[in-house]
Amino acid sequence: MSIVQDVAEWVHAQAKGALSRDVAAEFAITANKASMVMSQIHRESRFTTRVEHSCILDTNGRGRNTRRLYVDAVQTPQWRKTPVIGTAGDQVVRFDSITDAETIGGFVRVSITRCLAGQQEKHGGYHWQADTTEGATKCTATTTP
């Protein structure tokens, strides 16, 4: 799972919600990273959230504005990997996902997506399509575009 999902589930279990420092301490990340993760949680539609703004006093007696995040409902991610096939004549390349085609094969993710949507004919000399065959989860060949 992603850290966003993990943090959302943890905050959901907290009756008092969470501040970024609470998330940072629990997940051993910086307060800045915790704040970014909490912002991502608040933006994503799969989480039902609310934010409470308040002012707390620091050790010097100065007020600091804070945001406490509450997660009322958590849904699992709705995305899934799409295996893809690139064909050029008799040469075929297969990847577990479009991201793997980019990281392993060196292809451009956006261009493959355009090919799948019918907006582009070829990328890297290959015609791309979604792999719908059973058990097609292994990359069979890699080339550089």
Side-chain angles (χ1 to χ4, degrees), residues 35-48:
S35 180
M36 288 188 293
V37 168
M38 291 171 71
S39 294
Q40 180 68 29
I41 291 168
H42 189 58
R43 281 193 306 268
E44 287 195 25
S45 62
R46 63 187 163 124
F47 305 117
T48 305

Side-chain angles (χ1 to χ4, degrees), residues 36-96:
M36 288 188 293
V37 168
M38 291 171 71
S39 294
Q40 180 68 29
I41 291 168
H42 189 58
R43 281 193 306 268
E44 287 195 25
S45 62
R46 63 187 163 124
F47 305 117
T48 305
T49 62
R50 55 193 162 92
V51 176
E52 179 182 282
H53 296 273
S54 62
C55 184
I56 61 173
L57 297 177
D58 63 10
T59 56
N60 296 327
R62 290 180 294 188
R64 288 187 16 203
N65 291 323
T66 61
R67 295 176 299 150
R68 183 175 297 275
L69 178 69
Y70 296 89
V71 178
D72 297 326
V74 177
Q75 295 177 353
T76 56
Q78 301 300 312
W79 56 270
R80 59 180 172 75
K81 289 184 177 182
T82 302
V84 292
I85 298 175
T87 56
D90 60 346
Q91 190 171 12
V92 177
V93 291
R94 236 180 223 108
F95 295 97
D96 292 344

